[in-house]
């Protein structure tokens, strides 16, 4: 970033308006220091938010420019403090987002139509956005530091809360799980491999891999875009898949059959870029026979009876019998990926589990049931409700940690708000007439 304020650069910027055939197609709507905010910047942010389902608390043509202006204050501070983000982290995040867009919109052409710009420009804009967001996050972390909150401050905060402002703590539950994966028959596995070999032969004879992926792949996310996964690093892929994919060098060749926890794949290289790879695949999943499913359910029924009859504790049964490597060494206790705790609101649980937990009592062990796990794989399971807390108004005895987090967040917000207000006073800001009629979060932008 250049020097943050020079009047000469400001006047230079103000006359910079892009014109085509006498029609303004872009213009500078704000200037913060000597950094412009373009109408196209605002519009691109609006479209990005729309594609992600993000809602604005007010007029987006007021909210977005102010957000961009605040971002520029932080970026200037990053320049002063020599804060630089890791570019490989930025690229990884951009690849994930572009893959998400590809799956949502169906093709690169539809992405270009939606954003009204070439694919490369969409990617470049996202890279700048991610880099800026990560830079801002690091600046905020530096400004806030380690916010310390004492028990006395938490008690004082709670004491001063009006009765109608005491936060509600939602109903939460803790759930333990034991899973068993029904076995596939060898005949079914052989049939799957024969189909994949047939696809390979068809590609080798000139058929399009992408077309076959659209028609036959059981990876619902990638099938609609011809099996394409987008650029990924080795660590972002299942190890067995990554080993084969990263050894491919000829885009015309099809890999050997690869078995992973998701099923069986064949892979085709699209492009290698440094330590990242873009490839397409076809996934087939063996079907589970009724016989194998019933075997798994009977096995779980026997385990559940042993737990109910106190012949074994649920925690020990999870360690000995569960197929779920994420929970079996933790007594079967499920972890909420959103909060990284064992507490779930009912709607945060997988639907098949949430439906059962709703009518179960604490300590109760369910009957065996089937469900689809996060890997889109059918499994059989039993669960136990470890705890259930009803929705209630927060109190110091039960909810001290939640209240402490609220106080910490408020202290952090005050530090950042005070910093923005102070920085605002010291920074030259110019807003075009048509963009001033707004209720800004920080009113100090307009100084005339």
């Amino acid at each position: 970033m250049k020097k943050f304020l020079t009047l000469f650069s400001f006047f230079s910027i103000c006359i910079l308006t892009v014109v085509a055939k006498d029609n303004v197609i872009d213009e500078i709507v704000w200037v913060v220091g000597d950094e412009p905010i373009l109408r196209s910047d605002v519009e691109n942010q609006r479209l990005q938010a729309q594609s992600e389902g993000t809602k604005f608390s007010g007029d987006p043509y007021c909210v977005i420019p102010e957000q961009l202006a605040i971002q520029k204050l932080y970026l200037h501070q990053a320049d002063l403090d020599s804060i630089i983000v890791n570019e490989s982290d930025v690229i990884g995040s951009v690849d994930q987002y572009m893959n998400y867009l590809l799956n949502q919109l169906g093709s690169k052409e539809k992405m270009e139509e939606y954003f009204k710009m070439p694919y490369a420009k969409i990617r470049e804009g996202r890279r700048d956005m991610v880099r800026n967001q990560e830079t801002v996050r690091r600046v905020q972390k530096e400004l806030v530091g380690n916010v310390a909150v004492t028990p006395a401050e938490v008690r004082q905060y709670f004491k001063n809360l009006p009765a109608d402002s005491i936060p509600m703590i939602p109903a939460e539950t803790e759930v333990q799980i034991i899973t068993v994966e029904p076995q596939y028959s060898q005949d079914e596995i052989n049939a799957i491999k024969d189909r994949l070999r047939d696809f390979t032969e068809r590609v080798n004879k000139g058929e399009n891999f992408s077309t076959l992926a659209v028609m036959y792949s059981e990876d619902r996310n990638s099938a609609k875009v011809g099996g394409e996964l987008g650029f990924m690093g080795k660590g972002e892929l299942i190890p067995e898949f990554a080993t084969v994919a990263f050894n491919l060098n000829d885009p015309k060749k099809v890999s050997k059959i690869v078995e992973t926890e998701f099923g069986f794949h064949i892979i085709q290289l699209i492009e290698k870029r440094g330590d990242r790879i873009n490839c397409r695949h076809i996934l087939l999943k063996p079907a589970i026979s009724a016989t194998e499913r019933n075997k798994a359910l009977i096995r779980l029924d026997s385990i559940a009876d042993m737990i109910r009859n106190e012949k074994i504790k649920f925690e020990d049964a999870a360690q000995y019998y569960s197929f779920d490597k994420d929970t079996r060494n933790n007594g079967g206790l499920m972890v909420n990926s959103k909060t990284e705790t064992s507490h779930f609101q009912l709607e945060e649980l997988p639907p098949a589990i949430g439906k059962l937990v709703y009518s179960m009592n604490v300590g109760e062990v369910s009957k065996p049931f089937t469900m689809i796990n996060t890997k889109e794989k059918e499994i059989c399971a039993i669960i136990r409700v470890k705890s259930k807390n009803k929705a209630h108004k927060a109190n110091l005895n039960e909810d001290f940690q939640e209240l402490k987090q609220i106080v910490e967040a408020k202290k952090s917000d005050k530090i950042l708000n005070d910093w923005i207000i102070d920085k605002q006073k010291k920074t030259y800001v110019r807003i075009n007439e048509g963009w001033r009629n707004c209720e800004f979060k920080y009113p100090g932008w307009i100084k005339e």
Side-chain angles (χ1 to χ4, degrees):
M1 190 181 290
K2 298 167 283 187
K3 278 188 178 179
F4 202 55
L5 176 58
T6 66
L7 286 176
F8 175 76
S9 60
F10 163 71
F11 287 118
S12 299
I13 287 169
C14 280
I15 62 171
L16 195 164
T17 300
V18 182
V19 178
K21 295 182 180 177
D22 299 324
N23 292 318
V24 176
I25 60 171
D26 206 355
E27 64 175 331
I28 293 168
V29 295
W30 280 52
V31 178
V32 182
D34 63 358
E35 292 290 319
I37 297 173
L38 302 177
R39 177 192 289 271
S40 59
D41 295 334
V42 177
E43 190 60 26
N44 289 339
Q45 290 270 18
R46 189 186 68 79
L47 287 172
Q48 294 262 10
Q50 186 173 296
S51 72
E52 296 166 3
T54 303
K55 304 292 184 184
F56 292 102
S57 57
D59 182 349
Y61 293 101
C62 292
V63 175
I64 295 172
E66 183 173 32
Q67 289 175 345
L68 291 172
I70 293 168
Q71 184 184 77
K72 290 187 183 299
L73 298 181
Y74 282 123
L75 294 177
H76 177 241
Q77 190 65 40
D79 275 355
L80 296 177
D81 296 343
S82 301
I83 293 174
I84 301 172
V85 301
N86 188 323
E87 196 64 20
S88 63
D89 292 340
V90 172
I91 292 171
S93 178
V94 171
D95 285 341
Q96 286 182 346
Y97 176 75
M98 298 304 286
N99 295 342
Y100 164 80
L101 277 184
L102 201 61
N103 284 321
Q104 290 295 309
L105 299 176
S107 70
K108 291 179 180 177
E109 291 74 21
K110 288 182 179 177
M111 286 171 62
E112 291 175 337
E113 181 182 345
Y114 181 82
F115 287 102
K116 298 180 175 61
M117 66 178 71
Y119 178 86
K121 196 167 180 61
I122 300 169
R123 185 181 178 83
E124 180 186 348
R126 184 66 184 187
R127 187 174 66 245
D128 291 341
M129 183 188 298
V130 170
R131 187 188 298 109
N132 290 342
Q133 287 173 343
E134 178 59 18
T135 303
V136 168
R137 189 190 68 78
R138 293 193 185 190
V139 172
Q140 289 175 332
K141 188 175 179 181
E142 289 287 326
L143 291 170
V144 170
N146 295 317
V147 173
V149 173
T150 66
E153 286 179 297
V154 178
R155 288 192 292 270
Q156 189 63 42
Y157 166 76
F158 187 74
K159 180 181 177 181
N160 293 339
L161 276 176
D164 58 359
S165 297
I166 295 174
M168 286 294 296
I169 304 297
E172 291 184 328
T173 185
E174 291 180 294
V175 181
Q176 295 166 286
I177 189 167
I178 296 171
T179 67
V180 170
E181 296 178 5
Q183 299 300 301
Y184 306 119
S185 71
Q186 191 57 49
D187 287 345
E188 176 65 13
I189 291 172
N190 290 340
I192 289 288
K193 289 183 175 180
D194 285 343
R195 288 184 67 199
L196 289 171
R197 290 189 192 100
D198 177 59
F199 294 153
T200 299
E201 188 175 339
R202 289 165 66 177
V203 172
N204 290 337
K205 288 180 178 179
E207 284 196 53
N208 188 286
F209 191 107
S210 296
T211 302
L212 293 175
V214 170
M215 294 173 65
Y216 300 112
S217 181
E218 294 180 63
D219 178 355
R220 291 184 298 175
N221 289 328
S222 71
K224 57 188 175 184
V225 289
E228 185 172 345
L229 296 175
F231 281 94
M232 292 188 182
K234 203 165 189 176
E236 298 174 78
L237 295 164
I238 298 295
E240 303 91 337
F241 189 101
T243 298
V244 174
F246 273 81
N247 280 326
L248 294 173
N249 292 302
D250 186 349
K252 295 179 182 178
K253 299 290 184 182
V254 178
S255 76
K256 65 181 183 180
I257 295 170
V258 184
E259 182 180 2
T260 72
E261 57 192 299
F262 291 89
F264 294 85
H265 318 246
I266 52 174
I267 311 165
Q268 187 180 56
L269 173 68
I270 299 175
E271 182 186 351
K272 283 184 175 178
R273 189 185 293 167
D275 60 353
R276 306 180 73 75
I277 190 172
N278 187 12
C279 60
R280 55 176 69 94
H281 77 133
I282 295 173
L283 167 68
L284 295 182
K285 304 175 185 179
I288 295 171
S289 68
T291 301
E292 293 300 327
R293 184 183 298 109
N294 287 336
K295 282 183 184 177
L297 291 171
I298 290 168
R299 178 175 175 79
L300 282 167
D301 197 38
S302 173
I303 294 169
D305 280 342
M306 287 194 294
I307 295 167
R308 293 188 193 104
N309 294 326
E310 300 183 355
K311 293 181 179 178
I312 190 171
K313 292 181 178 180
F314 195 102
E315 291 79 3
D316 294 333
Q319 187 172 5
Y320 297 146
Y321 302 116
S322 184
F323 281 52
D324 189 342
K325 59 186 179 184
D326 294 328
T327 62
R328 64 188 176 202
N329 293 323
N330 191 32
L333 193 62
M334 296 177 64
V335 176
N336 187 334
S337 59
K338 290 182 180 178
T339 62
E340 297 183 351
T341 71
S342 59
H343 295 274
F344 290 83
Q345 295 179 39
L346 208 58
E347 61 271 17
E348 293 174 332
L349 288 164
I353 295 177
K355 185 177 178 182
L356 289 171
V357 169
Y358 178 76
S359 56
M360 289 174 66
N361 296 317
V362 173
E364 186 177 351
V365 178
S366 75
K367 292 180 179 179
F369 62 96
T370 61
M371 62 178 283
I372 303 299
N373 67 9
T374 55
K375 298 176 178 66
E376 300 284 326
K377 196 173 186 179
E378 183 181 343
I379 61 171
C380 301
I382 55 173
I383 59 170
R384 175 179 179 269
V385 177
K386 185 178 181 182
S387 70
K388 258 186 175 182
N389 296 316
K390 293 181 179 179
H392 61 279
K393 281 195 170 186
N395 64 77
L396 284 170
N397 291 330
E398 296 178 276
D399 310 302
F400 182 86
Q401 286 303 321
E402 285 82 356
L403 291 167
K404 182 182 177 184
Q405 289 170 7
I406 292 172
V407 177
E408 286 173 347
K410 285 184 175 295
K411 286 185 81 170
S412 296
D413 286 346
K414 185 176 187 314
I415 291 169
L416 295 177
N417 285 335
D418 290 348
W419 181 88
I420 289 169
I421 291 168
D422 181 63
K423 193 81 169 176
Q424 207 182 35
K425 292 174 183 175
K426 300 172 182 176
T427 304
Y428 189 93
V429 179
R430 175 77 171 84
I431 305 174
N432 279 10
E433 284 295 334
W435 296 73
R436 293 183 173 200
N437 189 24
C438 295
E439 292 185 12
F440 295 119
K441 181 178 179 180
Y442 298 94
W445 299 114
I446 300 173
K447 304 177 183 182
E448 301 166 8

